[in-house]
Amino acid sequence: MTDKEIFSTIEKAAITHELSKGEIVALLQCKRVEEDLAAAADLTRKKFVGDGVHLRGLIEFTNYCKRSCAYCGLRAANKRLTRYRLKDEEILNLAKKAKAYGYETVVLQGGEDDFFSCDRLFNIVSKIKALDVAVTLSVGERSFEDYKKLKEAGADRFLLRIETTNQALYARHHQGMSLEARKRCLENLKELGYEVGTGSLIGLPGDSAETLAEDLLFFKEIDADMLGMGPFLPNPDTPLGAEKAGSFSVTRRLLSITRLLLPTANIPATTAVETLREGGRDIMLNSGANVVMSNVTEGAAREFYALYPGKSGVHDKPEDMRGMWEEKLKSMGRFVAKGKGFRNLTPY
Ligand code: SAM
Ligand code: SF4
């Protein structure tokens, strides 16, 4: 593609919110479009979701996991990790604190840990919902019946990254799991009325502009409500420990294209991007993102929820973070969005 073609492709995306696979690939292969793409995505973000940034209070409640995703420090086979599970009352107390800090969404995230049976989670979610906050779950693959019961408990949203939509790549990095099952979970969640979040792990060894473009078309096809686009970060305690990290520029371009194609989606500036590059989250907020997850977990659990080394913010004080974000967003010409932060389908 010539420069002229590249820029008219960005313009087309900003107007129609449609791109072909070939056009996405061209944008992902062209590093020099990064700033223009970010500027177009930032305008689209302003027009469709406004200047408010949704802050979510994140509770990492268990680092036990029965799965063995090749990239993740929580994988069952990682014997070097100190495991923890928060007690039900501890989780509820953290949710109360999150509410007191001013968060209006509580995200419960953890490994796939059967100790947290559907009934146990049902109880926890019901009690948190009584605090009048939105609840997002990120607890991996469960049956339709479990998802249904958790919806009945009041859960509003669910995050389940597809990681990659490429069959061979998915199989390579997810022993004992299947892309079909993952997709079925996303379908079930949609059918049950959850706001559904998914996304890609960018820079997963073996991915390419083509596989990432296919991911984006999939997100558009399922009309995902939330899109977490984060770079892969190698963890030495996993089989992918010696691989190189996902690229900051590719992550940024992919996030910007995501905003252009799904203009009303809620898109976080991820912790992984901040870990990859200090200040990276602020750059993503200016490149199409409108959500930040702020970790409200306390004590040693913060350190032991170790997906990858050097995780940003491990030593931050949860009680300071909301104020910090208010100040920071103000300096960026943005503000903390009010309300529970559901997807807003009406342009500003
Ligand atoms: N177990 C649930 C699941 O897999 O959906 C939720 C928790 S899991 C730790 C949340 C996300 O962490 C995954 O979707 C994955 O993309 C991300 N993650 C795990 N290991 C990572 C790594 N090494 N680099 C970047 N992100 C990673
Ligand atoms: Fe478990 Fe999720 Fe990590 Fe996979 S990504 S090993 S399911 S915590």
Side-chain angles (χ1 to χ4, degrees):
M1 270 196 188
T2 61
D3 275 7
K4 204 167 156 222
E5 283 167 336
I6 292 273
F7 294 123
S8 64
T9 305
I10 297 177
E11 209 169 61
K12 174 187 158 186
I15 295 167
T16 66
H17 311 298
E18 300 282 345
L19 286 178
S20 67
K21 179 177 165 189
E23 288 167 332
I24 300 172
V25 168
L27 295 176
L28 290 177
Q29 285 174 338
C30 182
K31 195 166 192 283
R32 68 183 188 285
V33 302
E34 185 175 328
E35 296 302 331
D36 294 288
L37 212 42
D42 199 41
L43 276 180
T44 299
R45 185 270 308 152
K46 195 177 173 67
K47 182 167 154 197
F48 283 85
V49 294
D51 286 334
V53 173
H54 301 293
L55 295 185
R56 321 290 201 196
L58 172 68
I59 302 174
E60 296 167 334
F61 68 97
T62 173
N63 73 352
Y64 280 86
C65 188
K66 65 182 180 188
R67 302 285 190 187
S68 271
C69 306
Y71 40 81
C72 181
L74 308 195
R75 64 200 306 271
N78 181 10
K79 302 296 177 218
R80 288 195 206 136
L81 186 68
T82 306
R83 305 278 171 173
Y84 73 89
R85 276 184 189 114
L86 300 188
K87 295 191 173 68
D88 300 9
E89 313 80 69
E90 290 175 317
I91 300 171
L92 185 62
N93 274 335
L94 288 177
K96 283 183 183 160
K97 286 189 177 182
K99 165 90 181 179
Y101 299 146
Y103 297 103
E104 295 189 67
T105 291
V106 169
V107 182
L108 295 181
Q109 194 183 74
E112 289 199 25
D113 180 1
D114 289 338
F115 175 82
F116 287 95
S117 63
C118 186
D119 286 345
R120 185 178 289 274
L121 279 178
F122 184 95
N123 251 315
I124 295 168
V125 171
S126 311
K127 286 186 182 144
I128 295 179
K129 281 302 290 182
L131 304 173
D132 187 27
V133 290
V135 170
T136 304
L137 294 175
S138 178
V139 296
E141 296 180 26
R142 299 243 172 178
S143 67
F144 182 88
E145 288 67 35
D146 278 13
Y147 286 156
K148 185 163 184 281
K149 193 136 190 251
L150 295 171
K151 187 83 188 63
E152 285 159 9
D156 302 278
R157 311 186 188 115
F158 204 102
L159 305 177
L160 186 75
R161 274 191 187 162
I162 197 82
E163 320 290 357
T164 175
T165 55
N166 182 274
Q167 185 80 49
L169 197 57
Y170 191 91
R172 175 170 149 195
H173 294 302
H174 300 94
Q175 216 180 29
M177 296 169 81
S178 88
L179 184 60
E180 289 69 33
R182 197 98 176 154
K183 284 188 174 172
R184 206 171 321 116
C185 284
L186 290 171
E187 274 166 30
N188 289 344
L189 290 164
K190 270 263 170 191
E191 188 184 325
L192 288 163
Y194 284 89
E195 276 202 344
V196 175
T198 186
S200 305
L201 191 51
I202 302 158
L204 203 50
D207 76 359
S208 64
E210 281 78 13
T211 65
L212 293 169
E214 280 162 13
D215 291 355
L216 279 192
L217 294 176
F218 171 74
F219 303 149
K220 184 124 177 94
E221 184 189 318
I222 66 165
D223 190 26
D225 301 299
M226 303 170 282
L227 267 326
M229 309 299 287
F232 156 70
L233 299 169
N235 182 333
D237 295 339
T238 69
L240 302 183
E243 302 288 343
K244 71 176 196 331
S247 141
F248 183 85
S249 173
V250 171
T251 302
R252 187 175 178 210
R253 278 176 282 150
L254 206 60
L255 186 144
S256 295
I257 304 170
T258 304
R259 170 59 67 202
L260 292 171
L261 295 187
L262 289 121
T264 61
N266 282 328
I267 302 179
T270 64
T271 305
V273 98
E274 184 69 22
T275 307
L276 182 64
R277 181 189 291 189
E278 206 185 324
R281 207 165 26 194
D282 302 359
I283 295 175
M284 296 301 163
L285 283 172
N286 288 327
S287 310
N290 71 321
V291 176
V292 169
M293 303 246 198
S294 185
N295 193 352
V296 298
T297 319
E298 293 179 359
R302 287 176 80 87
E303 194 184 324
F304 296 143
Y305 199 81
L307 314 181
Y308 44 75
K311 192 165 122 192
S312 166
V314 165
H315 303 296
D316 289 345
K317 291 202 174 75
E319 62 272 26
D320 296 342
M321 296 318 288
R322 164 106 192 174
M324 188 287 286
W325 275 109
E326 266 175 26
E327 287 302 307
K328 185 199 273 278
L329 291 172
K330 207 154 108 191
S331 74
M332 294 166 75
R334 305 277 286 276
F335 58 90
V336 177
K338 292 219 170 354
K340 296 195 172 71
F342 288 95
R343 182 183 188 184
N344 180 8
L345 293 160
T346 335
Y348 271 54

